[in-house]
Amino acid sequence: MSSEKTEVDFDVAEINKDYERLYGFHTNTDYLKNSTRGVSPDIIRQISKIKNEPEWMLEFRLSSLEIFNSMPDPTWMDGSVFDEINYEDLYYYASAGDKKYNDWNDVPEDIKDTFERLGVPEAERKFLAGVSAQFESEVVYHHLQEELEKKGVIFLDFDTGVQKHGDLIRKYIAKLVPQGDNKFAALNSACWSGGSFVYIPPGVKVEIPLQAYFRINAESIGQFERTIIIADKGSSVHYIEGCTAPTYSKTAFHTGVIELFAEEDAYLRYTTIQNWSTNVLNLVTQRAIAKKNATVEWMDGNLGAKTTMKYPAVYLAEPGARGRVVSIGYANKGQRQDAGAKMIHAAPHTTSSITAKSISHNGGRSSYRGLIKVNKGASHVKTDVECDALLLDDFSESDTYPTIDVRERKDVSVMHEATVGKVSDETIYYLKSRGIKEEDALLMVVNGFIQEFTRELPMEYAVELNRLIALEMEGSIG
Amino acid sequence: MNSPLLELKGLCSTVFSEDTDQQIPILKGVDLAINKGEIHVLMGVNGSGKSSLAHVLMGHPNHQITEGEARFDGTPIQDMEPDERARAGMFLAFQYPHAIGGLPVGTFLKAAVEARRSEEVPFRVFKRELDAALEKLGISKEFLGRSLNEGFSGGEKKRNEILQMHLLKPTLAMLDETDSGLDVDALKKVFHDVREFANQDNALLVITHYDRVLDYIQPTHVHIMSDGRIVKSGGADLSKRIDEEGFEAVLGVEASV
């Protein structure tokens, strides 16, 4: 037994705090005076000018905006999700300061206080190799351990990346997620601000994680992070992103585009712990390519947001490539977690696995939407999909939309398993008969259900995640 | 005089059947008194209500007390939740313990111990107690990392129940057919551990279909249950008679119902 895990799991039942107190605060929003609502070529030009961008990036943005304006909403999801988006009402760019810092002591008090309350500097001191903290549209703090810098690791906010490594970014941007891939990717391509640019040189192993923390502070903000991570040959890296926001009555918007490139023999893991407030629409496109013998893993935890649409993908491009997605979704009252994964086997001798766990509660709705594609010629392929749904009451919903498209017959193994279950009264009774209170018993069952996800997290995040679930479920039993 | 640890007077109960959507009468007037320092064995044919009695006492959600009285340590338990009963000192070793995927045995045990004591138990303290119990019961530490009862063999499940009993130190431990599904060696070991547990400050209610457990445990009282009632009580000699003559002969016609 791992003693640490015992303590981790048990912390869960003892935490009794609410989202409002922990994450729901906001600080001064005077900086919005300088911002304009809505999106237009003028706004795009302004953003590009503020960032002092090269011409090619401005063109990339403007052409993306055109694509966005001409694109319909996705048709495979019911339109009610998109009807509530008021594009004219959003701020597409908001900056609380005009500088980025690499020492917390220099960060303006208000913003520093925000991240202190979220525990970001503390986490950095304890167990992170580098941290990026984004407040509204801009990264306000950025730091990478010196020894990694010396090894040639690049970990920058995306804006600075464009300034310093423009040629590299130009080569990689939109290679996996084209501007017109979907309406929201187009919008991101037009308005992006912040996010990370990461490059790990050949053979460099980054042993402890890099983290980006995304914070929305004001009402009606659109946050458009753009991230590219390149793990060069034989390198390895784990990147974690966390997100929170105060709750407002108006819809906020988080639309990220993330592109991961794992070169030969590289290992790249991207972990998300998404805990947006329930007025945020979280529409994110995440895609990766894995070259020869490379491994890409998406660990995707979706707890917050009003609606999440997110289907991390791995394009298995060369023999030996491996892709893995482990995801959990927690849909509470009024929430919709539409999550899933895509694996494209484009080469022989590639493997993939998807484990998707969803919990629906108080009328929340979780869906699994997945694609397994095995191209012609991609023989000797193995892929496993497991999606399990847990319903905590009789009026919550769960559904699965799996698509399996196999064009090759030679030695292709495709496994797909799906289960839907409820927590049985008998199970709760068993735990209660040991003195455990009902709400703690339910929590133990839920934590057990998502354990395949939490065990993949660094311990501190496992604690945090269990804590989040505990507060989501708090008061759910009369 | 002190009141008994467990006292049942004319206890009647029903169980809710999901198939028929009806309440079915099970216990039809059970009288029983158990004092500390005693070991009671409850026998009877299948369907006589033995296991139901245990679940009624532990507070199973489908079992309802409809009439009569059940007191534990002098307190009526009817309105107590199962967890309250457990914290008060009651324990039931389940015949079919539930499996919970992803919940490590070690985590579960710590939660249960802390719940039972209504206080946080420092990890070091817990570990010391746990290690001692594991050693005593001959259970490997690897066991603790496994998901609770998931993929456990029948024997492992039963030993896990006994481990919990040792850690939680109930004052009344009810064992529901703990002997079923065990081979002779495992049976011997498990009941050796049960015997070790019994002392002057606690009591056992051992429910069994077979009298073979009596080779391993010395009861102070033996009861025979039939059609929701305790129809005969006596000492250890009663079970011997059942062994030799069979339920029917000992009880007369009523046992054949």
Side-chain angles (χ1 to χ4, degrees):
Chain A
M1 174 182 68
S2 144
S3 60
E4 290 169 338
K5 278 292 178 193
T6 298
E7 300 208 285
V8 169
D9 287 353
F10 205 61
D11 274 338
V12 169
E14 292 153 8
I15 307 288
N16 271 313
K17 292 176 182 169
D18 55 319
Y19 192 99
E20 280 308 307
R21 196 166 11 152
L22 281 172
Y23 312 107
F25 62 92
H26 65 91
T27 183
N28 181 357
T29 57
D30 287 352
Y31 50 83
L32 283 181
K33 284 188 309 223
N34 307 321
S35 303
T36 317
R37 293 177 196 261
V39 64
S40 63
D42 278 350
I43 295 273
I44 297 299
R45 281 195 187 89
Q46 271 177 39
I47 295 173
S48 188
K49 194 173 174 203
I50 291 166
K51 296 180 187 298
N52 194 24
E53 286 176 348
E55 190 60 27
W56 67 264
M57 182 52 84
L58 176 61
E59 279 163 20
F60 175 80
R61 288 178 182 277
L62 289 171
S63 58
S64 299
L65 184 65
E66 271 178 40
I67 294 169
F68 167 74
N69 284 330
S70 68
M71 272 186 99
D73 288 333
T75 50
W76 40 267
M77 183 103 167
D78 63 87
S80 63
V81 170
F82 310 111
D83 291 347
E84 60 194 307
I85 306 173
N86 186 350
Y87 291 105
E88 287 75 46
D89 198 41
L90 288 173
Y91 292 103
Y92 289 77
Y93 179 82
S95 170
D98 51 5
K99 277 185 78 173
K100 305 178 202 306
Y101 305 90
N102 62 9
D103 185 333
W104 281 110
N105 292 321
D106 300 333
V107 175
E109 206 60 35
D110 255 14
I111 298 175
K112 183 181 153 195
D113 180 55
T114 295
F115 287 107
E116 290 277 3
R117 286 179 70 173
L118 297 169
V120 177
E122 192 193 351
E124 177 178 11
R125 282 193 298 276
K126 284 185 178 166
F127 56 87
L128 295 169
V131 162
S132 166
Q134 179 160 346
F135 190 88
E136 313 292 31
S137 302
E138 292 289 355
V139 172
V140 291
Y141 171 84
H142 215 281
H143 187 79
L144 176 68
Q145 279 181 357
E146 216 172 295
E147 83 185 84
L148 290 173
E149 234 167 72
K150 280 183 191 155
K151 285 181 182 169
V153 171
I154 300 169
F155 176 43
L156 295 169
D157 64 276
F158 204 80
D159 305 50
T160 309
V162 170
Q163 297 300 325
K164 292 191 174 173
H165 306 279
D167 290 346
L168 208 49
I169 286 183
R170 196 172 180 180
K171 186 175 149 195
Y172 284 96
I173 195 167
K175 284 292 166 295
L176 299 178
V177 183
Q179 290 160 283
D181 184 81
N182 63 75
K183 187 168 180 169
F184 306 103
L187 184 60
N188 174 286
S189 300
C191 324
W192 73 264
S193 184
S196 302
F197 174 65
V198 181
Y199 172 78
I200 315 294
V204 174
K205 314 266 185 207
V206 181
E207 304 288 350
I208 54 175
L210 303 174
Q211 185 185 333
Y213 199 98
F214 295 91
R215 177 72 178 173
I216 290 177
N217 182 58
E219 196 171 41
S220 299
I221 290 289
Q223 193 179 57
F224 303 95
E225 75 175 284
R226 185 89 196 189
T227 290
I228 287 179
I229 302 177
I230 304 161
D232 214 328
K233 288 182 182 177
S235 69
S236 73
V237 65
H238 181 190
Y239 178 96
I240 301 175
E241 64 164 353
C243 354
T244 58
T247 311
Y248 291 108
S249 56
K250 286 187 176 174
T251 303
F253 209 71
H254 175 86
T255 293
V257 171
I258 291 113
E259 297 171 286
L260 309 183
F261 301 83
E263 297 295 332
E264 188 175 336
D265 290 324
Y267 171 87
L268 208 170
R269 174 181 280 200
Y270 191 105
T271 297
T272 302
I273 298 177
Q274 179 271 105
N275 192 28
W276 292 118
S277 52
T278 50
N279 60 309
V280 175
L281 294 180
N282 184 47
L283 314 174
V284 178
T285 309
Q286 298 188 154
R287 214 162 282 169
I289 184 167
K291 300 275 186 68
K292 190 178 172 194
N293 295 329
T295 299
V296 173
E297 299 178 329
W298 296 101
M299 301 290 142
D300 197 25
N302 290 299
L303 300 169
K306 180 180 175 62
T307 300
T308 294
M309 289 168 61
K310 194 165 184 239
Y311 324 96
V314 185
Y315 186 83
L316 301 150
E318 294 178 7
R322 286 177 295 268
R324 184 169 170 232
V325 174
V326 181
S327 75
I328 57 157
Y330 186 102
N332 209 332
K333 187 179 178 184
Q335 283 183 284
R336 177 148 185 199
Q337 303 288 6
D338 200 87
K342 297 178 187 176
M343 293 290 176
I344 318 296
H345 291 263
H349 299 282
T350 48
T351 54
S352 66
S353 83
I354 298 169
T355 305
K357 303 255 180 182
S358 73
I359 299 158
S360 308
H361 196 189
N362 296 322
R365 180 168 174 191
S366 320
S367 310
Y368 168 80
R369 213 177 284 276
L371 169 69
I372 295 290
K373 190 167 183 203
V374 180
N375 289 354
K376 182 85 193 136
S379 62
H380 305 88
V381 156
K382 191 170 179 297
T383 172
D384 290 319
V385 179
E386 184 196 337
C387 47
D388 300 318
L390 186 66
L391 302 172
L392 296 187
D393 48 50
D394 292 331
F395 56 102
S396 296
E397 289 178 73
S398 154
D399 32 33
T400 51
Y401 307 95
T403 305
I404 297 171
D405 179 2
V406 178
R407 306 286 174 91
E408 173 61 50
R409 287 183 169 196
K410 194 175 169 201
D411 198 10
V412 170
S413 154
V414 179
M415 301 269 282
H416 180 95
E417 270 182 79
T419 66
V420 182
K422 282 188 185 178
V423 182
S424 82
D425 290 347
E426 296 273 341
T427 301
I428 296 298
Y429 163 59
Y430 181 62
L431 292 173
K432 284 173 81 177
S433 79
R434 297 323 186 226
I436 296 164
K437 290 178 183 159
E438 184 153 334
E439 59 265 38
D440 296 339
L442 186 57
L443 208 48
M444 288 172 96
V445 174
V446 169
N447 284 341
F449 178 73
I450 60 166
Q451 187 250 6
E452 276 176 73
F453 180 79
T454 38
R455 76 174 174 207
E456 298 289 343
L457 301 176
M459 192 183 73
E460 292 79 0
Y461 289 85
V463 174
E464 175 69 5
L465 188 86
N466 286 349
R467 203 169 67 136
L468 295 177
I469 300 256
L471 67 91
E472 280 286 322
M473 287 177 51
E474 189 184 310
S476 62
I477 293 168
Chain B
M1 192 188 127
N2 288 339
S3 58
L5 183 62
L6 180 75
E7 189 173 30
L8 311 180
K9 285 184 183 166
L11 192 68
C12 297
S13 77
T14 56
V15 68
F16 177 72
S17 160
E18 288 187 359
D19 298 338
T20 60
D21 210 20
Q22 275 177 339
Q23 298 286 346
I24 300 163
I26 300 288
L27 300 182
K28 298 169 182 170
V30 174
D31 296 306
L32 181 66
I34 298 179
N35 294 292
K36 284 182 178 173
E38 295 177 351
I39 299 177
H40 290 240
V41 168
L42 181 63
M43 304 179 74
V45 295
N46 278 337
S48 57
K50 307 183 300 287
S51 291
S52 293
L53 175 61
H55 285 295
V56 166
L57 294 178
M58 202 66 240
H60 190 292
N62 289 355
H63 288 268
Q64 296 287 324
I65 293 177
T66 50
E67 262 181 78
E69 248 184 33
R71 287 173 181 271
F72 179 73
D73 248 344
T75 310
I77 59 171
Q78 184 163 357
D79 295 331
M80 288 166 76
E81 286 290 309
D83 53 309
E84 294 173 302
R85 299 182 197 197
R87 291 198 293 275
M90 298 176 76
F91 177 86
L92 173 61
F94 280 51
Q95 185 180 1
Y96 306 110
H98 288 265
I100 298 170
L103 175 62
V105 172
T107 306
F108 161 71
L109 290 175
K110 187 162 187 281
V113 164
E114 293 189 327
R116 165 79 169 105
R117 296 178 197 173
S118 300
E119 64 178 17
E120 211 171 298
V121 179
F123 187 74
R124 270 169 238 286
V125 175
F126 171 69
K127 189 169 185 306
R128 201 158 49 227
E129 289 179 34
L130 182 62
D131 288 348
L134 290 175
E135 197 183 328
K136 190 170 181 176
L137 304 181
I139 297 173
S140 131
K141 282 188 185 179
E142 281 158 29
F143 189 68
L144 301 172
R146 293 172 62 185
S147 291
L148 183 62
N149 293 318
E150 200 176 56
F152 282 24
S153 69
E156 285 172 331
K157 283 184 186 168
K158 297 301 165 79
R159 290 170 75 198
N160 184 27
E161 296 293 289
I162 299 305
L163 172 62
Q164 292 169 45
M165 180 177 79
H166 274 264
L167 285 169
L168 298 176
K169 298 186 175 54
T171 46
L172 175 67
M174 300 179 279
L175 277 61
D176 187 12
E177 309 230 4
T178 299
D179 55 325
S180 70
L182 295 183
D183 62 31
V184 176
D185 288 340
L187 187 69
K188 202 168 161 181
K189 172 68 181 138
V190 163
F191 276 88
H192 168 81
D193 296 333
V194 170
R195 207 167 56 221
E196 289 274 293
F197 175 75
N199 62 37
Q200 287 309 303
D201 294 317
N202 62 30
L204 296 178
L205 176 61
V206 180
I207 294 166
T208 180
H209 184 60
Y210 303 103
D211 60 352
R212 57 177 188 162
V213 302
L214 296 158
D215 296 341
Y216 307 103
I217 198 158
Q218 260 315 303
T220 54
H221 299 73
V222 174
H223 309 279
I224 296 167
M225 206 164 179
S226 176
D227 191 26
R229 286 184 199 89
I230 290 177
V231 292
K232 208 162 187 89
S233 297
D237 55 317
L238 179 60
S239 65
K240 197 167 275 173
R241 277 186 59 207
I242 294 169
D243 188 30
E244 285 161 8
E245 303 167 29
F247 276 115
E248 284 185 33
V250 174
L251 298 179
V253 279
E254 54 196 325
S256 56
V257 172

